Amino acid sequence: PTGTELWRYERALEQRGLPIASQAGKGLFRRQEVQDMLALARVLADAGDSLALGALMRGPLVGLTEEELLDITAALPQNLERPHAVPRFSLLTELSDVTHPIARRTLSILQDLRWKSRATTPALLLAEAAEWLAVRPILAAREGDRSARAAANVEAFLERARPYGVTGLKRFVRDITRDWSQGVPSNEGRVDAEGDAIEIITIHSAKGLEWP
C-alpha cells in the first residue's frame, strides 16, 4: 500500500481485533481522537464557537447525547438585550446557567484553560487540556488494542502545535483546520511492532529489507 492508503488496511485489521504496528500512515485527520483534539483546540481558540463545543461535548471525550445538549441549550436564559435571539451554549455561557453535572464540569475546565491561552503556548495548553479531560485514560478504555495508536495520534497532533509560540493558538487552529478541510495528508503517530503484532509497511519503505 501507499502511505496515504495505509489507514484502510489498518482499519480492516483493527475491526477484527488484530494487533498491528505499521509505518505511520498519512490519515491523521481521519482519526476520531484527532478530530476530538481539533474540536478542543477550536473551542479554546474561539470562545463563541458553539459548533466546536457541541462536537466536543457530543464526542467520545465527553459523551453527551444530542438530546442532553438540546436540553442544556433550551434551559439557558434569554439575553435581555436580544430577546428574540436563540441562546447558544458556548464557552461564554455562565456556569450557573448549566445544571447538567458533566457539561458543567467540562465547561468549567474549558473556561479555566481559555484564560491560560493568553499566557502559554498551544502545545502546553492542549497537553494540559488532555490531562484535565482525561483524554489518554478515555482512549485506553475506548480503543482497547488500538489505544497505543490512538495515544500516538494525540501526541502527533500536539507535536504539530509545538512550533507555535505564546498567543499562537488561533493561528495554529486556522492552519490545522485548513489542512483538515483540504484533506492534506498528515503523518499519523508511529507505533512500533511488539510481539505478534502485524506490521504493515509500504512497498517504497520495504526496499532493501528482508524478513526471516
Side-chain angles (χ1 to χ4, degrees):
T2 63
T4 55
E5 299 298 324
L6 279 177
W7 68 274
R8 299 183 185 276
Y9 296 86
E10 294 169 353
R11 181 170 298 176
L13 292 170
E14 288 167 354
Q15 288 174 346
R16 288 162 176 77
L18 298 173
I20 64 171
S22 76
Q23 170 190 345
K26 304 288 187 180
L28 184 69
F29 295 128
R30 295 178 182 272
R31 299 298 186 176
Q32 179 64 53
E33 59 272 10
V34 174
Q35 294 177 21
D36 294 338
M37 291 298 295
L38 177 55
L40 172 59
R42 286 177 53 193
V43 169
L44 295 177
D46 181 0
D49 193 338
S50 57
L51 290 178
L53 180 61
L56 179 64
M57 290 285 189
R58 194 174 61 250
L61 293 184
V62 181
L64 299 186
T65 65
E66 290 191 8
E67 289 76 13
E68 287 173 316
L69 282 173
L70 288 172
D71 289 343
I72 291 169
T73 302
L76 296 177
Q78 290 286 340
N79 186 335
L80 297 180
E81 297 179 356
R82 302 175 61 192
H84 300 295
V86 177
R88 295 196 309 166
F89 182 40
S90 73
L91 239 60
L92 302 174
T93 300
E94 293 288 340
L95 274 179
S96 58
D97 293 333
V98 180
T99 58
H100 191 290
I102 296 176
R104 184 186 178 101
R105 176 183 176 276
T106 304
L107 183 63
S108 176
I109 291 172
L110 295 174
Q111 288 178 343
D112 287 345
L113 290 167
R114 168 72 177 169
W115 281 106
K116 293 182 179 182
S117 67
R118 304 174 184 178
T120 189
T121 64
L124 290 176
L125 181 72
L126 291 169
E128 184 175 355
E131 291 298 320
W132 277 102
L133 294 174
V135 169
R136 291 172 183 81
I138 289 173
L139 291 178
R142 184 182 84 194
E143 300 293 345
D145 291 338
R146 192 185 161 272
S147 60
R149 176 171 300 279
N153 285 333
V154 170
E155 293 303 323
F157 181 86
L158 295 176
E159 189 63 32
R160 289 181 65 112
R162 297 195 194 285
Y164 296 80
V166 175
T167 73
L169 180 61
K170 288 187 177 182
R171 185 160 59 90
F172 167 67
V173 168
R174 183 184 66 242
D175 292 347
I176 203 163
T177 299
R178 180 197 61 221
D179 290 350
W180 170 74
S181 62
Q182 294 178 355
V184 175
S186 300
N187 288 335
E188 297 178 41
R190 169 80 193 204
V191 179
D192 294 329
E194 293 184 3
D196 296 327
I198 299 171
E199 186 167 8
I200 307 174
I201 192 168
T202 63
I203 294 175
H204 177 76
S205 298
K207 291 179 180 178
L209 297 180
E210 294 182 1
W211 274 268

